[in-house]
Amino acid sequence: MSAVPDAPDAPQAPEAEQPVVTPMRLIIALCLFAPFVAMLWVGSYAKVDPTFIGMPFFYWYQMAWVLISTALTVIAYKLWQRDQRARKGGASK
């Protein structure tokens, strides 16, 4: 005995599946990936000059990335929330 697809008790087929990789998700990934690349590429900041208020570049560059990483993480989080709302049909809180 086979189930009839048009029967009222049959589960409804899900709407067209949304793609997993979208431009917004790529931006989110870049926001989260950029600090890792910046910090793992030590050769780019392993130097003394230019100094900033007497602090070698090596130190203030890393401290700047603490602030940049925070901002990028907040941006990624807000974009993720927007993406999730859009996937759920615009239901917002």
Side-chain angles (χ1 to χ4, degrees), residues 45 47-48 50 54-66:
Y45 62 92
K47 52 190 171 185
V48 175
M55 195 179 343
F57 180 74
F58 181 78
Y59 295 113
W60 69 258
Y61 178 82
Q62 292 177 65
M63 292 306 296
W65 270 101
V66 170

Side-chain angles (χ1 to χ4, degrees), residues 70-86:
T70 302
L72 289 173
T73 303
V74 168
I75 291 167
Y77 177 70
K78 294 296 184 182
L79 289 174
W80 180 257
Q81 284 182 323
R82 182 184 296 177
D83 183 62
Q84 292 305 302
R85 279 194 305 267

